[in-house]
Amino acid sequence: MISRIFRLSDSRFLKFAFAQLLGLVLCALLPFTAGATDAPLAGDAHISSAHPSTNFGSLTNLHVGNGNIALVQFDLSTLPAGTVAGEIARAILILFVNRVNTAGAVDLHPVTGSWAENTVTFNTAPARGAAIATIPISQVENFVLVDVTSLVQSWVTTPGSNHGIALLASTTAPTTYVLVDSEENDQTGHPPRLDISLSGPQGLQGATGATGAQGIQGLTGATGAVGATGTAGAVGATGATGAVSLSSGRVDQDRYARGGAGRAYCQRCC
């Protein structure tokens, strides 16, 4: 029994550590990020069509689906004074699903009317806009992260429009029924969070560093393989015929000069 409790506690500790470090990781991945902050949770509650006049703002879980709608709202006053929409580099809604009665998907809608955690009921439910995201949910005790950057940027531009977010069973999976940790949950203890990363202007370029020492000469590379023998060239054209030699004429004259009587005979005959 003791080891079982230890494993459960250890698992929750790891999930808590993951949630705490998530903002730092997101911040590090963004270029020119000046910092990150958690917007405080201003209120959370769920409303039920089965109990239209009952307020559930003090419960430890936010019910989504099966006739229930969860509402969460965050306080952006912790952002640095003068923050503009363009400086909201990323805004991530973080939810912890502690129970999955029926797996499916959840739609996120911007809330467009005011409400209060301790008084809101199904009969006094605030208006909401069109869905901005759909998230599949199937695993219990699992964090769900949703990018709501555009919505938060609109809240920064028009602060009076920040009435929070409504979570409903998706129209694509209407039978979905899940429970999410609320601010009052002291067991798993992971209330809804809004992690906001801020981007600042690019800093001045630093001075050029000194030139480093020349590295040692590398080893001589291996001799490459002998290339293939090229193809034989074309046969050249036949050269011109040379001049006739006169040497044979001289030989005959020498023989004639040595002929003696034969020469005289030849002269008489000729």
Side-chain angles (χ1 to χ4, degrees):
M1 182 65 180
I2 295 177
S3 62
R4 182 178 180 184
I5 294 174
F6 175 77
R7 287 197 298 269
L8 179 59
S9 300
D10 185 58
S11 174
R12 288 174 179 171
F13 172 77
L14 292 176
K15 291 176 180 177
F16 175 76
F18 168 79
Q20 296 301 314
L21 292 175
L22 180 62
L24 296 177
V25 173
L26 292 173
C27 178
L29 293 177
L30 292 171
F32 314 134
T33 298
T37 183
D38 266 6
L41 185 64
D44 62 356
H46 75 266
I47 55 179
S48 172
S49 61
H51 306 278
S53 60
T54 302
N55 172 260
F56 297 99
S58 61
L59 294 188
T60 59
N61 293 315
L62 301 174
H63 293 238
V64 181
N66 195 36
N68 300 287
I69 300 173
L71 304 171
V72 295
Q73 186 176 17
F74 298 91
D75 180 6
L76 301 186
S77 64
T78 57
L79 294 176
T83 298
V84 297
E87 295 174 329
I88 305 297
R90 185 70 58 85
I92 302 295
L93 174 65
I94 304 173
L95 305 171
F96 184 76
V97 180
N98 66 55
R99 191 183 309 171
V100 175
N101 292 330
T102 305
V106 171
D107 287 341
L108 273 65
H109 297 251
V111 178
T112 58
S114 60
W115 58 280
E117 175 181 329
N118 296 326
T119 59
V120 66
T121 67
F122 190 85
N123 287 338
T124 63
R128 56 183 181 270
I132 59 171
T134 299
I135 51 176
I137 296 180
S138 60
Q139 295 184 353
V140 67
E141 293 193 351
N142 186 52
F143 286 100
V144 175
L145 282 65
V146 190
D147 189 336
V148 291
T149 304
S150 296
L151 179 59
V152 173
Q153 288 174 337
S154 71
W155 291 343
V156 170
T157 300
T158 310
S161 66
N162 176 15
H163 298 294
I165 299 172
L167 310 174
L168 295 78
S170 176
T171 55
T172 62
T175 61
T176 301
Y177 186 20
V178 299
L179 275 64
V180 177
D181 274 16
S182 75
E183 183 179 19
E184 289 75 18
N185 194 306
D186 58 0
Q187 296 180 8
T188 49
H190 302 302
R193 291 178 50 203
L194 181 61
D195 185 274
I196 301 176
S197 297
L198 302 175
S199 62
Q202 182 176 0
L204 298 176
Q205 181 173 341
T208 302
T211 302
Q214 180 173 344
I216 61 175
Q217 182 174 351
L219 299 175
T220 303
T223 303
V226 177
T229 303
T231 56
V235 177
T238 303
T241 303
V244 177
S245 174
L246 298 178
S247 61
S248 61
R250 293 192 199 96
V251 173
D252 291 343
Q253 289 176 0
D254 290 342
R255 289 178 179 175
Y256 179 75
R258 294 193 300 267
R263 181 176 63 246
Y265 174 79
C266 181
Q267 288 176 347
R268 288 194 300 266
C269 292
C270 298

